[in-house]
Amino acid sequence: MIAKFFSKSNPIHFVIIAVVLFLVFSTIKIHYGEGIAIDIWYILKQIALLGIVLFSVFILDFLVSKNKLTKKNSYQILFFALFCMLIPQVFLKSNLLLANLLVLFALRRIISLRSKKHQKKKILDAAIWISLATLLYFWSGLFFVLIFAALFLYKISDIKNWFIPLIGILLVAVITYASLIVLNISLTDYTLRFNTYISFDFSSLNQRNIIIGATILFSYFLWSLFYYLNNLKNKSKSYRPSYLLVLFAALIAFVIVIIAPNKSGSEFIFVLAPLAIIVTNYVELISEKWFKEVLIWILIVASLANLIL
């Protein structure tokens, strides 16, 4: 029933997803908000963060539909919401929520390079978005790899285009430095806030709900990946690079989860959007309606169980 309901794109789907995310967001904030003084500024901040989450859903849907990464359905936003429910800790850190939104902005510009229109502007935009995301969370910078992967996959051979990302980085660096001077903030003090360490200590993730959620996420990724790659040959040659870039984005996100210095579960936010696209592509290949329902209901039941645990 749920699979059929979301099988066609409809604005009501976004409303339903928004309500679900609001409930999950509120639940996790209440659960982890014990001892926090609640005032008007705290409430306004949470409203802003919820707005970032909902805007991320909108950008994901726009990215997918504009670049025809899936068929005309709403599975991608459904899976995004279910994955958020599965690991609700993704809502805990405001800087990662905003960094993820900026990465989605960049991914939208990177994949749109396929059209061959305004390439220099799109490359610069993507570099700026990722640079801003890096200011919020240092390891977001790994997504710069996507820009150069796109230049290679889309066969953009003009050597000048390969230097444009450096211009975007320099532009953000200059504006940031100028802002620090105006605000009388030491550059040394500012750079100390960047956590550039790599850690393979997963002890902080040794929580039952995170272990369950991460296991299911990774299982869905591996299972869908086989069909995703196998189905690439059926895609038109001009669209194949777009699907590969989505896969690269997912792999980079998993790398961030692995090397993140202070693991809390929040870093999984980078995985959710590309994984939602990959799983949607797999679900579209399934002919058995009952099996689609099973895949979705597994996520629903597991997500609800995780919220209760």
Side-chain angles (χ1 to χ4, degrees):
M1 186 195 312
I2 295 179
K4 183 178 181 181
F5 179 69
F6 283 92
S7 63
K8 300 292 182 182
S9 183
N10 192 311
I12 192 64
H13 296 156
F14 185 82
V15 176
I16 294 171
I17 295 302
V19 171
V20 170
L21 288 174
F22 167 74
L23 294 174
V24 177
F25 184 89
S26 301
T27 300
I28 198 70
K29 289 297 180 177
I30 292 171
H31 179 72
Y32 282 90
E34 296 180 8
I36 296 177
I38 299 177
D39 53 22
I40 186 63
W41 297 113
Y42 177 81
I43 293 173
L44 289 175
K45 179 182 177 181
Q46 301 314 310
I47 292 174
L49 292 177
L50 178 60
I52 289 172
V53 173
L54 297 181
F55 195 43
S56 297
V57 176
F58 173 78
I59 293 298
L60 170 62
D61 189 53
F62 180 82
L63 163 70
V64 168
S65 59
K66 189 74 172 179
N67 295 285
K68 299 179 181 178
L69 296 174
T70 68
K71 296 177 182 177
K72 293 182 179 179
N73 54 59
S74 297
Y75 287 139
Q76 66 276 0
I77 62 173
L78 170 64
F79 284 119
F80 182 85
L82 291 176
F83 293 152
C84 286
M85 289 175 62
L86 199 58
I87 305 184
Q89 287 82 0
V90 297
F91 296 132
L92 292 179
K93 292 191 176 179
S94 55
N95 62 319
L96 269 74
L97 286 175
L98 184 53
N100 180 66
L101 176 61
L102 298 177
V103 168
L104 286 176
F105 284 151
L107 186 59
R108 181 180 71 88
R109 300 301 275 172
I110 291 169
I111 292 180
S112 67
L113 286 170
R114 183 192 61 82
S115 68
K116 306 295 184 183
K117 297 178 181 178
H118 310 296
Q119 289 181 333
K120 289 180 173 58
K121 184 177 185 300
K122 291 176 180 177
I123 296 170
L124 180 62
D125 287 350
I128 290 174
W129 288 127
I130 296 175
S131 296
L132 292 173
T134 305
L135 293 178
L136 293 167
Y137 185 70
F138 178 78
W139 290 109
S140 302
L142 290 179
F143 285 102
F144 276 112
V145 173
L146 285 180
I147 299 178
F148 296 102
L151 292 174
F152 176 77
L153 291 172
Y154 289 129
K155 299 179 180 178
I156 300 174
S157 56
D158 187 348
I159 193 65
K160 289 183 290 185
N161 289 326
W162 290 73
F163 288 99
I164 291 177
L166 301 178
I167 297 174
I169 295 171
L170 183 61
L171 181 63
V172 172
V174 170
I175 293 175
T176 301
Y177 184 62
S179 300
L180 293 176
I181 293 175
V182 171
L183 297 172
N184 196 28
I185 299 174
S186 167
L187 179 62
T188 304
D189 293 339
Y190 181 75
T191 54
L192 287 175
R193 62 185 287 274
F194 291 104
N195 198 336
T196 60
Y197 297 104
I198 293 176
S199 172
F200 297 104
D201 180 10
F202 296 91
S203 58
S204 58
L205 299 181
N206 192 23
Q207 303 174 42
R208 183 165 52 182
N209 55 356
I210 293 181
I211 292 173
I212 293 173
T215 301
I216 294 174
L217 271 186
F218 195 60
S219 299
Y220 270 65
F221 172 68
L222 289 180
W223 184 259
S224 302
L225 181 60
F226 173 78
Y227 294 92
Y228 186 81
L229 293 174
N230 193 49
N231 194 46
L232 273 180
K233 62 178 181 293
N234 298 323
K235 305 294 183 182
S236 65
K237 187 175 292 187
S238 63
Y239 279 94
R240 285 176 196 167
S242 300
Y243 288 92
L244 286 173
L245 288 170
V246 170
L247 175 57
F248 292 161
L251 294 174
I252 291 171
F254 276 116
V255 169
I256 291 175
V257 170
I258 293 170
I259 68 174
N262 298 318
K263 296 176 175 62
S264 64
S266 301
E267 56 277 354
F268 278 94
I269 189 65
F270 295 110
V271 176
L272 306 190
L275 181 58
I277 297 173
I278 292 171
V279 174
T280 296
N281 274 268
Y282 167 57
V283 169
E284 290 173 347
L285 296 174
I286 302 173
S287 56
E288 299 89 348
K289 295 180 181 179
W290 66 268
F291 191 50
K292 287 184 182 181
E293 292 290 341
V294 168
L295 286 175
I296 293 172
W297 275 104
I298 287 174
L299 287 176
I300 293 174
V301 172
S303 299
L304 291 175
N306 258 5
L307 286 172
I308 296 172
L309 288 175

